[in-house]
Amino acid sequence: MTASEQLDAIFSETSKLYKKKDSTYSQIKSELSEQGIEFVAYKKCNKEEKKFLKEYYQDNILPLLSPQIVDARHPTPNLQSKISYIVASLKNKNKNILGLVQCPATIPEIIPIGDDSKRFIFAEELIVEHIDEIFSMYKISDKNIICITRNGDLTTDEETDGSEDYRNQMKLILKKRRVSFIVRVEAAKSLSSELEEFILRTLKVQKKQIFVTSAPLKMKFPFSLPEILPVELSGKLSYPLFSPVDSKSVDAKTSMISQISERDLMLSYPYEKMDPFLKLIKEAAEDPNTLSIKITIYRLAHRAKLVDYLCRAAENGIEVTTLIELRARFDELNNIDWSERLEDAGCHVLYGPEGYKVHSKICLITRRNDSQIQYITQIGTGNYNEKTCKLYTDISFMTSDVQIGKDAVEFFKNVCIGNLGGKYSKLLVSPLGLKSKILQLIDSEIAKKSEGALTFKMNSLTDVDVIEKLVEASQAGVKINLIIRGICCLLPGIPGITDNITIRSIVGKFLEHSRIYAFGKGAKEQIFIGSADMMTRNTENRVEVITPIKSKEIKNRLRSILNIMLLDNVKARLLQPSGKYIKIPIESSSDEKLVNAQEMQCEE
């Protein structure tokens, strides 16, 4: 396909997705209505409710509005991405003018009507209802709500020439995102010919880029519903509240450094707290025997204790090196802010090699233990993010293994000088060494034929070389179980080709994010965890780290996680040879137990 053909196909598929979205929203809205929760139109409100909404509008919304007109003397303003605008066709002395009102981001998306916290109206609709008052000197022939989406890609490598500070260059590039080209336009209802002509002409889009939807244009409001609704109703309709627990494998009263010195430790998020890892960094920051702390950072919470501890370490004279990825999409500004704070505290801040995102999650603490050098290495599948660790399933592995520590030393040295071809004895590092080792490990299972086994858990699978190797393994009789939440470019169950491959996706309360790779079975099973999916962008175009797990206790825990997920028959969906996903079939007469993998892990 040419680029134009691809875009046409994308727009065609997107239209289908809008129909599905609208249908789903309508269904959920109907089900909420049965519980007394309603999103009502202004026209269906009674006199008393309209009076309340009028007062609310005048006190809380009207003062924040900045209406504009667009004509020969008033050029079209730069519309912001993902912000709703009320548009109106205005007429004045036979002149056609466009009226434009931005829906302020500071007001809530939904407004409870009166004291009844179960009936709501959308703020956008309330503004639309009063648009006649805003443009009272004009005759309004049509009004609508639109929202644009701008291109979010940043071509940083093309924009930077190395002559200026990279962080300042990133700031300039981020400004360009605000005026990047428009990908699509969403409208709350069909556009009149006048409004459509205006949008096509002024926003420089084609008609196929305009999508009409009956669902709200902004969909963040469901996250606020549990806090707005009455407690008893919210509890009935929401997932049971779950708070991460203290890890049973960690003694909260004992030094983390001393515990990791004795044995490898593992944390399983969000079921276990992130606290032990944060305690490790805090402890190292205050330990006079700590020589250095080195860490890769991809995404952080807006409030991060981790940064506080790293800054404290630097202020205590410890050498702190933070390799921050400024190109983490939509977290660029957050990471720029953190990099400036870390630098101000005396940390060495680096940005990784040109052309390759540093997506690895690795932290190395180097310390003097008596007369010897000791390494404490942490490698994870997810970000050092104190917010998402309560929402994403991830693995955090901590070890004092000398060889892994030496590999980590080599890794940071190589990445800091832009050397992507380093040699490692235990760690699998992309873009050059990771994929070849994965393929070798699959080959080892192929050699076992029907006795071979592979169990992979990841977010996505797109790497052609890995896919072809898995097909080869299937044809050799290797039993392959893949747990892939998202994109999967391999079809299972095709006779003679992939009939030994089963692929399932689990989407539940938490975002399945951990990457676990198991080769073989029984006592000889090898298990690895790390930051990389088997996607070409990870295996060839990013800096990733995967580590082997040697601890028998941790291997058993990881195998248990995989086994529970393979038993899931509630949230799991099986990928079919057709490319469709189906629920796990359970016969009504069967005594088979219902298994929700995430709920089971919560209970454990």
Side-chain angles (χ1 to χ4, degrees), residues 63-128:
L64 302 177
L65 300 183
S66 299
Q68 297 171 271
I69 59 171
V70 178
D71 60 12
R73 290 180 173 271
H74 301 85
T76 308
N78 176 41
L79 303 188
Q80 296 181 47
S81 186
K82 308 304 291 179
I83 296 291
S84 296
Y85 292 87
I86 288 78
V87 291
S89 289
L90 312 177
K91 291 191 185 300
N92 184 22
K93 297 178 182 178
N94 298 321
K95 285 178 60 179
N96 290 329
I97 300 172
L98 182 88
L100 195 66
V101 181
Q102 178 179 326
C103 189
T106 52
I107 63 175
E109 290 180 27
I110 55 173
I111 300 165
I113 300 175
D115 296 327
D116 187 350
S117 57
K118 294 192 292 182
R119 282 166 55 82
F120 305 91
I121 189 170
F122 287 95
E124 298 162 351
E125 185 175 341
L126 201 51
I127 299 172
V128 170

Side-chain angles (χ1 to χ4, degrees), residues 11 57 77 141 176 200 233 284 289 291 293 308 354 382 384 412 451 480 530-531 540 550 585:
F11 293 137
Y57 167 79
S141 60
K176 291 185 178 182
L200 296 176
L233 186 57
N289 291 318
L291 302 174
I293 302 174
D308 294 338
E354 185 176 346
Y384 301 109
F412 279 103
E451 291 301 308
I480 303 170
S531 58
E540 296 183 10
K550 294 302 178 185

Side-chain angles (χ1 to χ4, degrees), residues 445-465:
E445 296 307 304
I446 290 174
K448 300 175 187 177
K449 297 184 178 180
S450 61
E451 291 301 308
L454 298 167
T455 308
F456 294 172
K457 179 183 182 296
M458 54 189 138
N459 294 295
S460 299
L461 171 64
T462 69
D463 189 293
V464 175
D465 297 321

Side-chain angles (χ1 to χ4, degrees), residues 104-314:
T106 52
I107 63 175
E109 290 180 27
I110 55 173
I111 300 165
I113 300 175
D115 296 327
D116 187 350
S117 57
K118 294 192 292 182
R119 282 166 55 82
F120 305 91
I121 189 170
F122 287 95
E124 298 162 351
E125 185 175 341
L126 201 51
I127 299 172
V128 170
E129 204 58 43
H130 291 85
I131 201 80
D132 300 67
E133 298 173 16
I134 295 173
F135 297 108
S136 57
M137 64 179 288
Y138 300 96
K139 180 180 179 182
I140 298 177
S141 60
D142 189 31
K143 48 193 175 184
N144 208 325
I145 308 169
I146 66 167
C147 180
I148 67 165
T149 303
R150 293 187 181 274
N151 173 42
D153 278 338
L154 295 176
T155 53
T156 54
D157 297 320
E158 296 174 15
E159 300 282 355
T160 57
D161 58 11
S163 61
E164 295 184 42
D165 179 76
Y166 181 59
R167 187 166 59 206
N168 288 333
Q169 283 287 93
M170 281 297 300
K171 290 179 181 179
L172 293 173
I173 293 166
L174 284 174
K175 288 182 180 179
K176 291 185 178 182
R177 180 183 275 166
R178 300 175 194 167
V179 293
S180 61
F181 66 85
I182 295 172
V183 176
R184 66 172 173 177
V185 179
E186 297 171 287
K189 62 179 182 178
S190 296
L191 292 159
S192 66
S193 57
E194 290 176 355
L195 285 178
E196 184 178 275
E197 191 276 331
F198 163 80
I199 287 172
L200 296 176
R201 174 170 43 83
T202 59
L203 301 187
K204 295 180 174 59
V205 295
Q206 300 177 56
K207 193 169 182 177
K208 59 190 174 185
Q209 289 175 265
I210 300 176
F211 300 95
V212 178
T213 174
S214 59
L217 301 185
K218 295 170 71 177
M219 292 290 289
K220 289 185 178 179
F221 70 89
F223 294 101
S224 64
L225 274 177
E227 298 173 7
I228 301 173
L229 294 171
V231 175
E232 65 278 4
L233 186 57
S234 177
K236 178 182 177 183
L237 299 177
S238 304
Y239 279 113
L241 289 175
F242 176 79
S243 297
V245 300
D246 294 321
S247 173
K248 293 179 181 178
S249 62
V250 176
D251 184 348
K253 298 179 181 179
T254 306
S255 155
M256 285 299 297
I257 291 174
S258 64
Q259 289 184 75
I260 299 169
S261 299
E262 293 177 2
R263 61 190 178 93
D264 295 346
L265 294 177
M266 172 191 134
L267 301 174
S268 176
Y269 306 145
Y271 310 105
E272 295 176 321
K273 295 178 182 177
M274 189 186 189
D275 293 9
F277 169 71
L278 294 174
K279 180 184 175 184
L280 169 65
I281 302 301
K282 182 174 183 288
E283 194 177 309
E286 298 170 346
D287 183 359
N289 291 318
T290 301
L291 302 174
S292 69
I293 302 174
K294 300 178 181 180
I295 189 169
T296 58
I297 293 175
Y298 196 74
R299 297 189 195 276
L300 290 173
H302 288 287
R303 295 180 180 178
K305 291 180 183 177
L306 175 63
V307 173
D308 294 338
Y309 299 151
L310 292 173
C311 290
R312 187 181 305 178

Side-chain angles (χ1 to χ4, degrees), residues 462-475:
T462 69
D463 189 293
V464 175
D465 297 321
V466 175
I467 288 172
E468 290 178 347
K469 187 61 69 174
L470 289 172
V471 170
E472 183 183 341
S474 173
Q475 292 174 324

